Amino acid sequence: MSVSIRVAKVTDVPELVPLAARTFPLACPPEMDRAAIQDFIRDELSEEVFGNWIADDNVYVIVATDGAMLVGYSVCTNGELPTDGELDQQLPADSTVLLSKFYVDPDFHGAGVSKKMMTYLIEHYAATAERWMWLGTNKANVRAIGFYERVGFKHIGTRQFNVGGAIADDVVLARRLPSIEDS
C-alpha cells in the first residue's frame, strides 16, 4: 500500500460520493435512524455538493489515494464557526477553519491514512492566515475522538448536529495551527 495525499479535483467527484456514502455512517451513533443517515448522504454528500466544494476558494478538499483508488477525503471550510453549541472557548472568525469532513475507507483504518491526511492539512494551513482548526464529532465516536486528541485537538464544548432530521450530540474539539512565522 502506497497512500498519497493531494488536492481533490472535479474528476474525483464520481468516486468521492460513494466513498462518502460508505464512510459517513461510521461516524454516526449506532442508534441513529438509518433513513436519516441516508437522507443526509443524499442531500449533503451529493455530486453537486462535492463539485461546489471543490470549486469554492473558501473550501479546501483533499483526497487520499492508494494507486488510482480514493481511500479517504477531507473537507475544510475557512471562517466557519460552531453554531448550536455550548463552547468553553470562542474562536476568531477571521482565522479559523472548520474541519467539516475527515473520513477514511474502513478497509484502510489503522494503516496511517488519517495521520498522513492530518499532516498534509496542518502543513497546508501553516502557510495560511488560519490559526485555529475545529471540528465536531459524535460524542460516541470514541475512535475518532482519540485520534483527534493524539494530533493536538482539545475539547472546547458541545453542539447539536442535524443528520437528515435526526439530532446528534457532538463534542467540539479545536487546536491551534502552527504558522511558518512560528518556526
Side-chain angles (χ1 to χ4, degrees), residues 1 9 26 33 55 63 65 67 85 104 114-115 118 129 146 156 174 180:
M1 172 175 52
K9 303 177 279 193
L26 301 173
D33 179 61
V63 293
T65 62
V104 173
S114 294
K115 187 170 182 173
M118 186 61 71
I156 66 163
I180 49 177

Side-chain angles (χ1 to χ4, degrees), residues 20-88:
R22 285 192 311 276
T23 57
F24 179 75
L26 301 173
C28 297
E31 69 278 1
M32 181 164 279
D33 179 61
R34 294 294 144 198
I37 294 170
Q38 291 309 311
D39 288 348
F40 183 89
I41 291 168
R42 180 196 66 230
D43 298 340
E44 304 295 333
L45 300 171
S46 68
E47 284 193 16
E48 179 181 3
V49 170
F50 273 104
N52 289 340
W53 283 333
I54 290 170
D56 188 333
D57 290 339
N58 283 319
V59 180
Y60 188 62
V61 184
I62 64 167
V63 293
T65 62
D66 183 24
M69 181 174 70
L70 296 188
V71 298
Y73 76 97
S74 179
V75 178
C76 295
T77 305
N78 294 342
E80 190 168 324
L81 296 177
T83 58
D84 297 327
E86 302 276 333
L87 301 181
D88 302 329

Side-chain angles (χ1 to χ4, degrees):
M1 172 175 52
S2 176
V3 173
S4 60
I5 313 299
R6 64 171 170 76
V7 174
K9 303 177 279 193
V10 173
T11 55
D12 294 321
V13 170
E15 199 174 345
L16 275 166
V17 171
L19 177 61
R22 285 192 311 276
T23 57
F24 179 75
L26 301 173
C28 297
E31 69 278 1
M32 181 164 279
D33 179 61
R34 294 294 144 198
I37 294 170
Q38 291 309 311
D39 288 348
F40 183 89
I41 291 168
R42 180 196 66 230
D43 298 340
E44 304 295 333
L45 300 171
S46 68
E47 284 193 16
E48 179 181 3
V49 170
F50 273 104
N52 289 340
W53 283 333
I54 290 170
D56 188 333
D57 290 339
N58 283 319
V59 180
Y60 188 62
V61 184
I62 64 167
V63 293
T65 62
D66 183 24
M69 181 174 70
L70 296 188
V71 298
Y73 76 97
S74 179
V75 178
C76 295
T77 305
N78 294 342
E80 190 168 324
L81 296 177
T83 58
D84 297 327
E86 302 276 333
L87 301 181
D88 302 329
Q89 174 183 349
Q90 296 304 312
L91 302 171
D94 62 341
S95 62
T96 297
V97 61
L98 163 62
L99 179 59
S100 174
K101 309 285 181 272
F102 192 87
Y103 293 101
V104 173
D105 186 290
D107 290 343
F108 288 80
H109 285 182
V113 177
S114 294
K115 187 170 182 173
K116 276 187 163 184
M117 287 172 49
M118 186 61 71
T119 299
Y120 191 95
L121 288 173
I122 298 299
E123 288 174 358
H124 166 76
Y125 282 107
T128 71
E130 308 304 329
R131 293 296 151 249
W132 288 93
M133 180 178 281
W134 75 274
L135 63 96
T137 192
N138 187 269
K139 67 181 183 180
N141 197 353
V142 176
R143 182 183 180 135
I145 293 168
F147 169 75
Y148 294 128
E149 289 173 338
R150 284 191 301 280
V151 296
F153 285 84
K154 307 280 186 235
H155 290 252
I156 66 163
T158 60
R159 73 167 183 174
Q160 292 191 316
F161 185 73
N162 185 333
V163 177
I167 301 302
D169 292 319
D170 282 1
V171 295
V172 177
L173 301 113
R175 67 160 287 166
R176 182 106 167 104
L177 292 167
S179 167
I180 49 177
E181 291 121 23
D182 297 341
S183 307

